[in-house]
Amino acid sequence: SFDLVYSNQVMEHVRDPDFALKEIYRVLRSGGYFIGQTSQFEPYHSYSLWNFTTYGWKRIVEDAGLILRELRPAIDGFTLMERAYRERPPEYNRYFSNESPINTEIENSARREGKSIATINYRKLMWCGQFSFACGKD
């Protein structure tokens, strides 16, 4: 068994994510973590089978016995679509480590409105192309 299972942009390619998550739960030690990133609002990502919503992700990890501890937004879906449409120009790579355009707009708009950090992150999660997750096993 393992203390940590890491998955980076893999689950959207797995034929049977329910089975895979149950196996992750099985091999994870009590107190262990399953962390990674997956696609949400990304119309074309190599040979993806799935695009998970944050709600759908929560449901399937909990159905497997895991506890969803945290979700964090990554690059926004619109920027990912534009990047694919423009045939992946290298200047778009910066948005994988810096705020992407829509995330910047969400951040600036919500701060002007006096919104909480939780609201800002919720808005980003609703429009993100990818999200990071942390799941635990008690």
Side-chain angles (χ1 to χ4, degrees):
S1 47
F2 300 91
D3 293 321
L4 176 69
V5 174
Y6 175 67
S7 170
N8 187 28
Q9 295 300 124
V10 172
M11 295 303 293
E12 64 272 18
H13 303 282
V14 174
R15 167 77 61 195
D16 188 348
D18 291 317
F19 176 77
L21 289 166
K22 287 175 186 167
E23 284 297 294
I24 289 166
Y25 177 85
R26 185 182 67 78
V27 302
L28 208 56
R29 285 191 182 123
S30 184
Y33 275 87
F34 170 46
I35 63 170
Q37 188 175 56
T38 193
S39 292
Q40 173 180 243
F41 186 40
E42 189 173 4
Y44 179 76
H45 173 66
S46 189
Y47 294 99
S48 294
L49 297 170
W50 316 105
N51 281 304
F52 297 101
T53 63
T54 55
Y55 171 76
W57 183 253
K58 180 180 186 328
R59 288 292 310 269
I60 66 171
V61 298
E62 288 178 352
D63 288 350
L66 296 162
I67 300 161
L68 183 61
R69 304 252 190 236
E70 189 168 340
L71 287 174
R72 290 190 181 204
I75 186 171
D76 71 81
F78 298 110
T79 300
L80 281 173
M81 284 187 273
E82 183 178 32
R83 177 178 174 260
Y85 175 75
R86 297 189 184 283
E87 300 179 358
R88 300 175 186 257
E91 60 268 20
Y92 282 75
N93 293 343
R94 70 179 179 264
Y95 299 128
F96 290 102
S97 57
N98 299 308
E99 286 282 27
S100 56
I102 298 299
N103 281 347
T104 299
E105 173 57 30
I106 289 170
E107 181 94 23
N108 293 339
S109 175
R111 288 196 185 277
R112 282 191 305 272
E113 297 169 10
K115 300 296 182 184
S116 67
I117 291 171
T119 298
I120 292 169
N121 284 332
Y122 173 77
R123 287 179 179 177
K124 287 179 182 179
L125 276 169
M126 293 302 99
W127 297 105
C128 67
Q130 303 166 350
F131 58 85
S132 299
F133 59 84
C135 303
K137 178 178 178 181
D138 283 344

